[in-house]
Amino acid sequence: MQLDDKPRFYRALGAMGLMFSDQLSRPRMELYWEVVHPQCAIDEWEAACLRVMRSETFHKVPLPAVLLQAVNGVRMEQALLQREEERRQDEVLRVQTQRQAQADRLALEASPEWQANQKKRKEDEAKRKAVRDEEHQIYLAWLSEQPKSVRIAMG
């Protein structure tokens, strides 16, 4: 925290004093500031104070160590929320990328170049199949002309 955060710090600390019916003297508040301010940001402090006011049942403002544990709890919650948000953003990006890829594929398949390429590929495959079939027929014809022992040996 910075020096200009002091009023907010004291406001949150004073709210705890009011909530817990624990009068905080100025020197005591200064001690809390000295112990806590290097350890956290003002937003973390305010969130930790709210957390403590929601959970503590004893009618005394907790010691700084307890409040700093609450700050750590706030940090863990924030980290969890940030990871969840990153996962959500990653999922949105994944879906957008997938949709874009599908749109790109449809656009490609609709292009005349793609269709011509596909037609040529199918024609080439049909030619290769015809050549294989012809070679197989030649092999079968040759095999049928061979003596029975050769045909058995050739399978």
Side-chain angles (χ1 to χ4, degrees):
M1 282 183 261
Q2 306 300 317
L3 280 177
D4 58 342
D5 294 327
K6 251 185 177 182
R8 287 174 63 187
F9 177 87
Y10 288 144
R11 224 178 353 266
L13 188 58
M16 279 194 302
L18 186 62
M19 174 68 73
F20 295 121
S21 300
D22 185 13
Q23 183 82 23
L24 293 166
S25 66
R26 193 69 172 165
R28 187 172 168 203
M29 291 176 87
E30 284 290 329
L31 283 172
Y32 271 82
W33 168 259
E34 290 304 318
V35 171
V36 173
H37 93 273
Q39 303 296 317
C40 62
I42 189 64
D43 293 335
E44 293 172 331
W45 169 254
E46 290 170 333
C49 289
L50 287 173
R51 175 186 271 235
V52 166
M53 286 190 281
R54 287 187 195 113
S55 64
E56 290 293 319
T57 56
F58 192 66
H59 61 282
K60 195 105 168 114
V61 173
L63 293 173
V66 173
L67 294 167
L68 289 172
Q69 286 175 346
V71 166
N72 286 333
V74 167
R75 288 175 178 162
M76 287 189 299
E77 283 177 5
Q78 289 172 342
L80 178 62
L81 291 173
Q82 184 175 352
R83 283 192 301 272
E84 288 173 1
E85 177 61 21
E86 288 170 357
R87 277 195 291 272
R88 189 193 66 73
Q89 289 176 358
D90 288 347
E91 179 62 17
V92 167
L93 182 60
R94 186 191 66 77
V95 168
Q96 288 173 342
T97 302
Q98 187 178 26
R99 286 182 181 156
Q100 184 62 49
Q102 289 171 343
D104 291 348
R105 181 174 180 228
L106 290 174
L108 179 63
E109 289 174 353
S111 73
E113 296 87 8
W114 170 267
Q115 291 173 358
N117 189 15
Q118 289 299 98
K119 183 179 177 184
K120 180 171 177 1
R121 201 169 64 72
K122 287 178 184 177
E123 289 170 355
D124 291 347
E125 181 59 34
K127 287 177 187 175
R128 284 193 296 276
K129 185 179 181 315
V131 168
R132 282 193 309 267
D133 290 347
E134 183 181 342
E135 288 172 349
H136 186 67
Q137 290 302 321
I138 292 170
Y139 170 75
L140 290 176
W142 173 83
L143 190 59
S144 68
E145 296 172 356
Q146 300 305 312
K148 186 174 182 177
S149 61
V150 173
R151 286 193 308 255
I152 291 173
M154 296 295 287

